[in-house]
Amino acid sequence: MSAPRPHPVRYFHGGVPGLAPGGLLLPPEMTGTEWTLTADVLDMGGVARRDRVYVTTGREVARVYAALFPDGALYEVEPVGELVADADCLVPGVSFEVPAARVVRVVDPVVLARARPFEAWLRKLDRATDETGAA
């Protein structure tokens, strides 16, 4: 009897809307995108890079990031290049930076922030990060 196969790791990204399967997510430094959550993280004293795309193993983590981007989308993605742990995430194995990511599928084309207050999204982000890290 063989050992059960481990499930492949799935990665997600929440952010700029309008991409289709096969599309490439590139860092804001390359696209010229002005408004990013990376900029907000930097403004709050966090660690973030404008030359990287951020991906997560947590679908709900990415959903929160999609909600915090104006009418953002939730994607399942495939990292392109070397994955490096996100220095700003305190839960190991949840968030990574990568040079680019390819869209595998559009999970939700529009995640509306107005569905809940900003503070509620931040609480959801904390819960989702902890749950993903514990899985």
Side-chain angles (χ1 to χ4, degrees):
M1 185 171 187
S2 63
R5 289 185 185 178
H7 293 286
V9 176
R10 292 171 48 191
Y11 296 95
F12 299 91
H13 176 86
V16 66
L19 297 174
L24 201 59
L25 282 159
L26 297 170
E29 188 175 89
M30 291 180 75
T31 63
T33 302
E34 291 297 320
W35 190 91
T36 65
L37 293 172
T38 299
D40 288 347
V41 168
L42 292 170
D43 286 346
M44 293 185 288
V47 178
R49 295 179 59 178
R50 289 188 50 81
D51 65 338
R52 291 292 183 262
V53 171
Y54 287 85
V55 300
T56 177
T57 54
R59 179 177 169 155
E60 290 305 304
V61 172
R63 180 178 300 285
V64 172
Y65 281 103
L68 296 177
F69 194 93
D71 297 334
L74 173 60
Y75 304 102
E76 182 177 348
V77 299
E78 176 180 84
V80 176
E82 180 184 2
L83 281 170
V84 175
D86 176 357
D88 209 41
C89 183
L90 303 177
V91 180
V94 174
S95 184
F96 302 90
E97 55 186 49
V98 65
R102 186 163 315 282
V103 175
V104 173
R105 71 183 174 102
V106 179
V107 177
D108 192 342
V110 180
V111 180
L112 299 175
R114 57 187 168 269
R116 19 177 113 179
F118 181 76
E119 294 78 14
W121 282 111
L122 292 180
R123 287 190 301 275
K124 181 172 176 56
L125 176 62
D126 286 343
R127 279 192 313 275
T129 300
D130 288 343
E131 289 168 5
T132 300

